[in-house]
Amino acid sequence: MAVFNLKALIFMWICLVVPSVLAKPVKYCDNKGNYPVKVKGVDIVPDPVKPGKEAVFSISAYSVEAISGGKVKINVAYFGLPVHSQTIDLCSETSCPVTAGDFVLSHSQTLPIFTPPGSYTLKMTMESNNNHLLTCIKFDFSIGFGASVSDS
């Protein structure tokens, strides 16, 4: 019986701790900003991102208020140089309305096959329908070399 309890305890630890260890750390754009949406972390699959293949960015967050809709602005920089910007409807990335509490914002992107490998920085802002800033975060991610034939 003790072996079963130990296995159950290890399984629970893996389920609770490992995802938070794998999540990318985020920095708020303004450390003094009192954003109504708090971001817990970002998971990227695959990591590093592979050119020519789909990447999924899952942002775990908590909202102190209900959100009926809005927009997400994404800006990506490579060695500090802007290389991509995009504005997306919030409700296309998560279920709306977002109730107060935990939610996940999930965005899929397929990078062009010729995307250079290296370190990138992504800045994401989320705004409500009335252009109220809900959150602003930055995080780093990597793009690896192009997909190999065996990845097909």
Side-chain angles (χ1 to χ4, degrees):
M1 187 68 172
V3 173
F4 175 74
N5 288 338
L6 180 60
K7 287 181 183 179
L9 182 63
I10 292 171
F11 177 75
M12 287 182 359
W13 180 83
I14 289 171
C15 290
L16 295 173
V17 175
V18 172
S20 64
V21 171
L22 297 177
K24 295 271 185 204
V26 298
K27 296 177 186 171
Y28 288 101
C29 301
D30 179 0
N31 289 334
K32 296 177 184 173
N34 190 17
Y35 300 117
V37 172
K38 308 294 185 201
V39 175
K40 298 176 181 181
V42 177
D43 291 315
I44 304 171
V45 176
D47 188 11
V49 175
K50 294 182 180 181
K53 297 288 183 180
E54 182 180 66
V56 178
F57 295 77
S58 297
I59 300 167
S60 301
Y62 177 86
S63 180
V64 297
E65 59 189 43
I67 305 167
S68 61
K71 59 188 166 195
V72 176
K73 294 180 182 178
I74 297 170
N75 293 293
V76 180
Y78 181 59
F79 292 110
L81 300 172
V83 293
H84 177 76
S85 72
Q86 182 176 14
T87 300
I88 307 163
D89 178 57
L90 174 65
C91 297
S92 69
E93 305 298 302
T94 193
S95 298
C96 284
V98 175
T99 58
D102 293 327
F103 71 100
V104 175
L105 184 82
S106 184
H107 179 69
S108 302
Q109 186 82 35
T110 301
L111 279 68
I113 194 73
F114 55 83
T115 304
S119 295
Y120 290 74
T121 300
L122 187 144
K123 177 183 176 184
M124 182 201 80
T125 59
M126 185 185 307
E127 298 177 3
S128 66
N129 282 331
N130 60 1
N131 297 322
H132 174 70
L133 183 62
L134 299 172
T135 198
C136 179
I137 61 167
K138 294 180 182 180
F139 61 89
D140 297 326
F141 69 99
S142 296
I143 296 180
F145 290 95
S148 66
V149 175
S150 63
D151 290 339
S152 301

